[in-house]
């Protein structure tokens, strides 16, 4: 019975982890990717404020920061051509002045 509980618990953890995994962007060798500095320049030129930029396990360039309108963004880019693979935006809420 304990083995059954262990298997169920382990499979739950594995399924939960998979839900938080980012996308797979490319299997192209890193030597063919756009240099990170070029990608960063493109993002800044497009109006993004960068909080964090990293390479993911799925071979993506991942950006955490703000767009030009002040909305929080998380964007996964294909590192070969810079195209957006997946993005999430949390819109800025406006507060009323009393």
């Amino acid at each position: 019975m304990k083995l059954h509980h262990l298997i169920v618990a382990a499979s739950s953890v594995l399924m939960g982890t998979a839900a938080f995994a980012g996308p797979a962007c490319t299997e192209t060798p890193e030597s063919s990717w756009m240099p990170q500095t070029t990608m960063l320049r493109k993002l800044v030129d497009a109006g993004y404020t960068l909080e964090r930029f990293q390479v993911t396990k799925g071979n993506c360039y991942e950006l955490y920061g703000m767009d030009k309108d002040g909305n929080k963004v998380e964007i996964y880019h294909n590192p070969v051509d810079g195209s957006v693979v997946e993005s999430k935006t949390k819109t800025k809420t406006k507060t009323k002045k009393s």
Side-chain angles (χ1 to χ4, degrees):
M1 189 66 159
K2 288 183 182 182
L3 179 60
H4 174 71
H5 290 293
L6 181 61
I7 292 170
V8 170
S11 63
S12 297
V13 169
L14 292 175
M15 287 190 309
T17 303
F20 293 108
C25 292
T26 187
E27 292 188 20
T28 303
E30 196 168 342
S31 60
S32 298
W33 293 6
M34 176 188 310
Q36 289 185 28
T37 53
T38 303
M39 187 67 203
L40 289 167
R41 174 56 43 209
K42 285 177 158 248
L43 294 169
V44 170
D45 289 349
Y48 290 99
T49 302
L50 307 172
E51 292 176 10
R52 188 168 76 200
F53 181 84
Q54 63 189 18
V55 177
T56 68
K57 291 181 181 178
N59 292 331
C60 302
Y61 284 157
E62 182 180 22
L63 154 73
Y64 288 92
M66 306 284 248
D67 66 14
K68 63 183 176 191
D69 298 321
N71 300 311
K72 287 190 169 218
V73 295
E74 176 183 359
I75 307 174
Y76 295 86
H77 293 88
N78 183 314
V80 176
D81 60 11
S83 62
V84 174
V85 175
E86 183 178 312
S87 72
K88 301 172 190 172
T89 303
K90 183 175 181 181
T91 56
K92 180 173 72 171
T93 57
K94 295 183 179 182
T95 56
K96 292 183 180 180
K97 292 184 179 180
S98 321

